[in-house]
Amino acid sequence: MFFYKIGIMQFVLNFLMKVKSTLNWTNEFTFKIIELLQPLFSKNVYFLRDTDSEYTELIDAYSLFEYMLKNNYKCFYIINKFHPQYEQIKSKYPKNIIPLDKKTKMENLHIRHFFKFLHLKNYFSAWGLEINNVSLHNFLYNNKHIEYVFLQHGIILLKSFMFDLYNKNWFNKMLVSNDYEKELVKKHMGYDEDQLIKACLPRFENLFETNKNKEIFVFFTWRLSFDKIPYETSKYYERICSLLNNQRLNKLLQKNNITLNVSLHHKLLDKNNTFNFSENINQNIHFIDSTKVSDYIKKSDMLITDYSSIWADFLFQNKPAIFYRLDFDDENLIDQDKNDLVFSKNSDDILFNVSYDEDKTIDLIEKYIVNSFTLEAENIKKTEKLFYVKKDICKKILEEMNIE
Amino acid sequence: MNKNEQFFNNKTYKEILENLHFGEHLKNLEKKFKNRKVIIYGAGILFDYICENYNLKNLNIVAIADKKFEMTPAANYKGYRAINPEQLKSEDFDILLIANNYPVKIKQFLETVVFKKEKKPKIYFMLNKPLSLYVEEIF
């Protein structure tokens, strides 16, 4: 009968999983050997890892990696071999990278780098991808000689869905950048005060750059809803198109010779990596590669976003950011996205320049163009409460962790 | 991009589940698990979509479990009693049905962490994606 196929299918899958776990016995056995031998070895090796995604720039753990290497720490950067930045990083630090490929996968990382694991003191993870390998994650989280640290890749202030992901059962310690974030993390993610590293995102240390050209950076967070509903029918898409086609905005850009650099999620782009939103594309509007976002953060004078955590990169530099919540009223979004939008509203008082309609957004853009993108004194004062430190960030991280 | 990523990339759940004839598969699950107590594991976008677009009344779902209920406990989720993974150990049920695009690692987590010292429950995968994609996940 037809429904027996489910039973057969599951039987086959269970059998294959048993075969795999039997083959994995060497992995489990090696973890046990490492645990036995660890007390005999000095702890002076550090692993750092960002995302594997080929669409995302490697910047967070990488910034700390570069600092630590420069200061003679024995550290290694774990990187996806197929990432666009791989060759560049490999040529710069050939002896300090651990590429992930068909041979070295997360599941056998400890076998291929056995002796490094014996000396491992800290594992810094910016994206927590180790959770995809249950054995490795268990080992890192439970091992008493290794501190497994969540470096983060953004500041948790405006997004509530993060609470479900990176809670106290995932990491031993977590980096936080300000008191607001600290309280949210303690309340919603279960971390104790002594598990929190009070510093800032290491990538902020490399932010400052002067640029003679006037540029605005546009970056909207992707919506989880678009796994369920086509984005073309969403208010998100409709209002991005409307904003970029806005006549007043286009005149402002042309009149003041300002470039609008737009980074859109790769799923919005076609095969040619372009976004067809208009027949008459303003030549002041450029669509940029998502792996080069940090270059644009440094050289842009202002940010337009909804609630992307990139706001922190701009405010850290005392550059203005406009929070345009373009689809706050979209009833078709899934609960998770709606909850994030509602949650982000809680921080409207902590931040500034929050807008829920296009006209007000253009008013704000115009205001800052006229005043040469200068952030007001009262808003600079607000930003000071958003960052524990503004210089020597990596040094502060290591101090907080008692790493000499 | 691996085969699983290609399978899910740039597609809505509407397209994916229609291509998989999920409606028929759901009827088969109902027949197989008739009179059995089922707990769904995975209160994510996939389950949300299935809940809103398919009729689950013929599955005797006694609860829904997810890690997210550890930190933000909820009495109910989409009309079902919500529990966290640890609470599974004290639940009375026959079948655990994982609702996730990548259920293999969830099964591994449940068997090696949650039910490490307990008798393992019968676990099935809710999504009827092709066997080759599951094999890719496993190996």
Side-chain angles (χ1 to χ4, degrees):
Chain A
M1 286 186 219
F2 204 22
F3 68 82
Y4 280 133
K5 278 191 184 176
I6 296 167
I8 294 169
M9 171 83 149
Q10 200 61 55
F11 176 81
V12 168
L13 291 175
N14 289 346
F15 175 74
L16 290 173
M17 286 182 74
K18 275 227 163 30
V19 166
K20 183 74 199 295
S21 70
T22 307
L23 293 175
N24 271 349
W25 75 268
T26 48
N27 289 344
E28 297 300 327
F29 181 70
T30 312
F31 276 131
K32 295 284 180 224
I33 299 294
I34 291 172
E35 277 171 6
L36 274 171
L37 294 177
Q38 270 174 309
L40 304 174
F41 292 83
S42 58
K43 303 289 167 284
N44 57 0
V45 165
Y46 305 88
F47 281 359
L48 300 103
R49 185 178 180 199
D50 280 302
T51 178
D52 287 346
S53 167
E54 291 154 37
Y55 300 103
T56 306
E57 188 174 2
L58 303 177
I59 187 100
D60 295 289
Y62 185 64
S63 298
L64 184 60
F65 165 73
E66 286 201 299
Y67 173 85
M68 290 181 80
L69 208 57
K70 204 166 121 184
N71 287 277
N72 302 316
Y73 290 93
K74 206 167 178 182
C75 47
F76 298 88
Y77 187 67
I78 301 172
I79 177 172
N80 171 12
K81 202 175 178 181
F82 303 100
H83 194 281
Q85 285 172 261
Y86 171 71
E87 290 298 334
Q88 174 223 336
I89 294 174
K90 181 186 163 192
S91 62
K92 206 171 170 186
Y93 306 109
K95 293 182 182 171
N96 293 87
I97 59 156
I98 297 176
L100 292 180
D101 52 21
K102 278 185 183 171
K103 280 186 188 167
T104 304
K105 305 176 196 180
M106 286 314 290
E107 63 192 30
N108 64 22
L109 187 72
H110 60 301
I111 296 178
R112 292 191 168 267
H113 298 278
F114 180 81
F115 287 106
K116 290 190 187 84
F117 264 79
L118 290 177
H119 291 279
L120 188 60
K121 183 178 164 81
N122 288 102
Y123 189 119
F124 292 99
S125 179
W127 289 74
L129 295 182
E130 296 71 35
I131 198 75
N132 291 327
N133 185 279
V134 175
S135 300
L136 176 66
H137 178 263
N138 277 350
F139 174 78
L140 291 173
Y141 182 74
N142 293 308
N143 189 282
K144 58 185 180 187
H145 298 283
I146 300 171
E147 265 189 338
Y148 180 39
V149 181
F150 184 34
L151 267 188
Q152 293 216 61
H153 48 276
I155 294 182
I156 297 174
L157 193 66
L158 305 179
K159 294 183 190 177
S160 61
F161 85 90
M162 299 282 280
F163 299 151
D164 298 329
L165 287 182
Y166 300 118
N167 64 46
K168 67 173 173 103
N169 296 323
W170 201 317
F171 296 97
N172 302 132
K173 286 198 169 175
M174 179 171 170
L175 179 88
V176 289
S177 298
N178 58 63
D179 280 342
Y180 303 116
E181 186 182 36
K182 186 187 83 167
E183 294 308 315
L184 285 172
V185 162
K186 281 167 71 176
K187 183 180 175 188
H188 296 287
M189 295 164 81
Y191 287 95
D192 295 326
E193 183 87 23
D194 61 0
Q195 288 180 283
L196 300 176
I197 303 160
K198 298 182 205 56
C200 250
L201 297 182
R203 72 173 190 248
F204 289 168
E205 208 158 75
N206 303 317
L207 273 178
F208 298 97
E209 186 178 298
T210 53
N211 180 22
K212 289 179 185 171
N213 302 321
K214 289 183 274 187
E215 302 188 26
I216 298 175
F217 189 52
V218 179
F219 189 98
F220 291 105
T221 305
W222 186 242
R223 299 289 183 265
L224 296 169
S225 301
F226 303 147
D227 281 339
K228 190 186 143 195
I229 57 168
Y231 68 81
E232 295 94 340
T233 61
S234 67
K235 289 198 161 83
Y236 177 93
Y237 180 77
E238 175 199 320
R239 288 178 183 158
I240 288 178
C241 292
S242 175
L243 178 70
L244 298 178
N245 274 311
N246 185 290
Q247 289 297 312
R248 208 174 123 209
L249 174 63
N250 280 283
K251 278 183 187 165
L252 279 169
L253 296 176
Q254 282 168 339
K255 184 182 163 190
N256 294 281
N257 196 25
I258 292 171
T259 305
L260 196 76
N261 296 311
V262 185
S263 175
L264 294 174
H265 195 279
H266 65 273
K267 289 186 181 179
L268 285 176
L269 305 176
D270 62 21
K271 288 172 194 172
N272 298 321
N273 276 337
T274 52
F275 177 64
N276 290 318
F277 69 99
S278 171
E279 286 178 3
N280 302 308
I281 298 173
N282 185 328
Q283 61 186 10
N284 288 58
I285 296 179
H286 300 162
F287 293 95
I288 64 136
D289 181 349
S290 60
T291 61
K292 302 220 184 324
V293 164
S294 68
D295 289 343
Y296 289 89
I297 289 173
K298 285 181 211 176
K299 65 180 189 166
S300 297
D301 298 285
M302 183 167 77
L303 170 72
I304 302 169
T305 186
D306 44 4
Y307 53 89
S308 162
S309 54
I310 278 182
W311 62 262
D313 299 68
F314 279 78
L315 266 51
F316 186 88
Q317 302 174 78
N318 287 338
K319 292 179 181 175
I322 296 172
F323 298 90
Y324 175 28
R325 309 272 164 78
L326 71 176
D327 58 347
F328 191 82
D329 57 341
D330 193 342
E331 289 301 318
N332 293 323
L333 293 176
I334 62 170
D335 288 344
Q336 210 155 282
D337 284 334
K338 279 188 206 165
N339 290 342
D340 274 350
L341 281 163
V342 168
F343 183 80
S344 66
K345 204 171 161 48
N346 293 335
S347 300
D348 283 0
D349 292 336
I350 299 170
L351 298 169
F352 40 85
N353 295 335
V354 181
S355 163
Y356 292 86
D357 72 73
E358 188 172 307
D359 285 335
K360 185 182 171 185
T361 302
I362 306 292
D363 289 341
L364 286 166
I365 294 171
E366 185 170 22
K367 177 182 94 167
Y368 282 109
I369 289 175
V370 165
N371 82 355
S372 303
F373 304 108
T374 308
L375 194 60
E376 304 88 338
E378 65 195 76
N379 289 334
I380 290 178
K381 226 175 170 179
K382 277 189 169 182
T383 69
E384 282 164 11
K385 293 183 185 174
L386 297 170
F387 309 103
Y388 280 129
V389 286
K390 281 199 130 182
K391 60 176 187 172
D392 296 329
I393 294 169
C394 294
K395 185 178 173 193
K396 174 74 172 160
I397 291 172
L398 300 183
E399 272 171 11
E400 284 274 309
M401 296 199 59
N402 299 318
I403 295 173
E404 291 164 11
Chain B
M1 210 183 276
N2 62 36
K3 286 181 190 164
N4 270 281
E5 285 164 352
Q6 283 172 24
F7 183 79
F8 290 108
N9 198 38
N10 280 342
K11 294 188 194 84
T12 62
Y13 274 122
K14 184 178 187 314
E15 291 165 323
I16 293 167
L17 296 189
E18 277 177 6
N19 287 340
L20 291 176
H21 304 288
F22 183 77
E24 279 176 43
H25 174 67
L26 187 58
K27 285 179 188 162
N28 296 333
L29 287 173
E30 288 162 7
K31 282 180 197 167
K32 182 155 181 70
F33 303 139
K34 192 176 176 182
N35 300 325
R36 313 276 277 283
K37 290 179 194 168
V38 175
I39 291 184
I40 304 283
Y41 190 95
I45 303 170
L46 172 62
F47 177 73
D48 286 356
Y49 183 83
I50 291 171
C51 211
E52 286 163 23
N53 294 278
Y54 293 85
N55 186 349
L56 296 174
K57 283 179 188 165
N58 294 326
L59 267 178
N60 181 18
I61 299 172
V62 297
I64 178 154
D66 196 290
K67 262 181 132 350
K68 70 182 183 189
F69 301 129
E70 277 172 352
M71 289 294 125
T72 45
N76 287 292
Y77 185 81
K78 301 278 183 198
Y80 300 102
R81 190 165 56 87
I83 59 174
N84 66 48
E86 274 303 302
Q87 287 173 299
L88 282 168
K89 288 192 272 199
S90 55
E91 284 288 318
D92 173 28
F93 67 99
D94 302 303
I95 303 289
L96 194 56
L97 196 54
I98 300 177
N100 192 281
N101 293 356
Y102 299 96
V104 169
K105 67 173 187 277
I106 294 179
K107 185 172 188 273
Q108 283 171 340
F109 161 71
L110 290 167
E111 288 179 343
T112 59
V113 178
V114 178
F115 293 102
K116 188 175 180 179
K117 293 176 183 173
E118 271 83 16
K119 186 184 167 191
K120 315 276 185 281
K122 285 186 184 168
I123 300 177
Y124 287 80
F125 302 156
M126 197 167 193
L127 193 62
N128 56 326
K129 65 182 186 182
L131 181 62
S132 59
L133 296 186
Y134 280 120
V135 172
E136 183 185 67
E137 248 195 281
I138 292 168
F139 292 102

